[in-house]
Amino acid sequence: MNTPAVAPAAGTRAPARRILVVGPSWVGDMVMAQSLFKVLKQRGECAIDVLAPGWSLPILERMPEVRRGVAMPLGHGEFGLGTRRALGRSLAGEGYDQAIVLPGSLKSALVPFFAGIRQRTGFRGEMRYLLLNDLRRLDQAALPMTVQRFVALAAPAGAPLPEPLPLPRLVAQAANQPVLRTRFELPAARPAVAFMPGAEYGPAKQWPIPHFAALARALGERGYQVWVLGSNKDRAAGEAIAAGNPAVRNLAGLTALGDAVDLLAMCAAAVSNDSGLMHVAAALELPLVALYGSSSPEHTPPLAERVAIQTLRLECSPCFQRTCPLGHTRCLTDLAPDRILAALGGLGLAGLEHAGGEAGPQVVHFVGRS
């Protein structure tokens, strides 16, 4: 027998809804998910917990909308049915009213199912008909951008998206910044430009390292220091950029993800491939030059106001391949350092107003902003 719902007494507040979001497995997607969290908060009082890979917890700590991050004890791609069942049962007592599952895999929907969360929302994916009971059909033409797809899950199926969409806005940990400056001996007198030369997807998304090095030399000559950020995989690239240039500090592989966020927040601007750290820089409202080769800014643009997106839009791009199928990667090699220097000047960096060649920056505002 069903118990009828009882409305709260006059003058009392309804209890805050508890929502578990199963987060994505990539840095950039996790940053974009903050737009969903913001919309959930706009729709009514709620407590948001995010089930996510352990590496992403420092990102979630810098999102005021998130009550807590719950670490997924499995690596990317691991199925781990028993582990997911045990985790779901451990969360059953949290009293979640809804789960929102952002990844499209079957395994990502298991924990909310085992937790017995009564409303389990997500798009159709890998045979999830029994696991999700608020199953949506994804209209890719109507929702071409990843952030739009995330935000659409905050409301009932078919509801219009809010306009404008709230943009991700990370909050750096100010107390950590002087610690990092001391630890890495980073001078405060010269403004810093962050370089993010890595891209997990492959070399067809990576601007040539000699181009980064040439840009670093030009910035050093104009009074800037350059901080290279990234994972240990980007360490060698950072060494090549720093070679013979005292203005460059190679911090790739030396920082945790949360430290990279706090370092970026101290920079005057950033230059980045299409990568997770590009989205972090955008969410910190950093003037940003975003370099696109094999990928497209139409699907996952940096969600910020002061962005110069650099893409040549060749006939062969975007191809979305890890390596150039034609063997030349002209979509990136033909993006000259002078053009990127000019793009930084176009974003208002002091001393760069007349820098670079004739090819000026293509400044693109986030789609959906008024």
Side-chain angles (χ1 to χ4, degrees):
M1 179 176 178
N2 293 330
T3 303
V6 178
T12 65
R13 298 180 66 183
R17 296 178 68 240
R18 294 188 177 188
I19 301 172
L20 177 69
V21 176
V22 180
S25 298
W26 300 98
V27 174
D29 286 356
M30 188 63 77
V31 172
M32 287 185 283
Q34 191 183 14
S35 292
L36 165 65
F37 308 152
K38 285 175 174 283
V39 172
L40 288 171
K41 289 286 189 179
Q42 290 173 357
R43 289 179 56 81
E45 187 178 355
C46 61
I48 302 171
D49 294 346
V50 182
L51 176 60
W55 59 258
S56 68
L57 298 187
I59 291 286
L60 297 173
E61 290 171 357
R62 288 157 175 80
M63 295 182 180
E65 302 79 14
V66 175
R67 182 179 69 166
R68 66 168 179 148
V70 180
M72 167 58 75
L74 293 169
H76 182 62
E78 288 186 79
F79 195 82
L81 179 61
T83 300
R84 293 177 193 272
R85 181 188 295 112
L87 178 57
R89 290 175 176 172
S90 73
L91 294 173
E94 294 291 333
Y96 292 116
D97 299 286
Q98 182 183 16
I100 299 176
V101 181
L102 298 185
S105 63
L106 181 148
K107 62 180 179 291
S108 63
L110 287 170
V111 170
F113 177 78
F114 289 130
I117 301 172
R118 64 172 178 259
Q119 181 183 359
R120 303 183 299 278
T121 302
F123 290 114
R124 293 180 187 175
E126 297 177 342
M127 301 300 292
R128 309 195 299 180
Y129 298 99
L130 296 178
L131 300 178
L132 300 179
N133 56 13
D134 179 17
L135 196 62
R136 314 285 180 85
R137 184 182 65 85
L138 174 60
D139 185 341
Q140 297 187 18
L143 301 173
M145 299 169 62
T146 297
V147 67
Q148 293 171 329
R149 297 172 186 179
F150 289 171
V151 169
L153 296 176
L161 296 179
E163 293 184 7
L165 292 183
L167 305 184
R169 287 293 175 260
L170 299 177
V171 178
Q173 293 184 354
N176 190 36
Q177 291 176 325
V179 175
L180 293 170
R181 194 177 285 280
T182 300
R183 174 184 168 192
F184 295 114
E185 300 179 345
L186 302 171
R190 303 178 71 188
V193 176
F195 281 8
M196 285 86 89
E200 284 290 325
Y201 188 70
K205 289 178 68 173
Q206 296 173 332
W207 199 45
I209 297 304
H211 286 10
F212 271 112
L215 180 61
R217 288 192 293 271
L219 288 169
E221 291 166 358
R222 290 163 173 81
Y224 287 87
Q225 57 180 317
V226 172
W227 300 348
V228 180
L229 301 176
S231 70
N232 199 51
K233 295 178 182 178
D234 307 314
R235 185 73 191 163
E239 289 300 320
I241 295 169
N245 188 345
V248 180
R249 290 299 311 274
N250 180 19
L251 304 177
L254 302 181
T255 62
L257 181 56
D259 294 335
V261 175
D262 299 337
L263 285 165
L264 273 169
M266 292 192 284
C267 291
V271 178
S272 180
N273 296 321
D274 176 15
S275 67
L277 286 179
M278 176 193 75
H279 291 284
V280 171
L284 291 166
E285 300 186 89
L286 205 61
L288 170 67
V289 179
L291 309 167
Y292 280 81
S294 68
S295 59
S296 168
E298 306 302 323
H299 182 54
T300 54
L303 305 180
E305 298 285 352
R306 297 178 66 190
V307 177
I309 291 180
Q310 297 296 305
T311 178
L312 294 177
R313 302 190 183 277
L314 303 179
E315 290 183 359
C316 56
S317 64
C319 67
F320 300 105
Q321 300 297 310
R322 293 180 182 271
T323 58
C324 177
L326 302 178
H328 55 62
T329 322
R330 283 188 50 226
C331 58
L332 288 168
T333 58
D334 287 2
L335 278 175
D338 279 355
R339 172 173 174 149
I340 310 310
L341 194 66
L344 288 168
L347 290 172
L349 263 68
L352 303 183
E353 295 86 352
H354 307 292
E358 295 181 2
Q362 177 190 357
V363 179
V364 179
H365 292 283
F366 165 54
V367 177
R369 296 293 288 179
S370 56

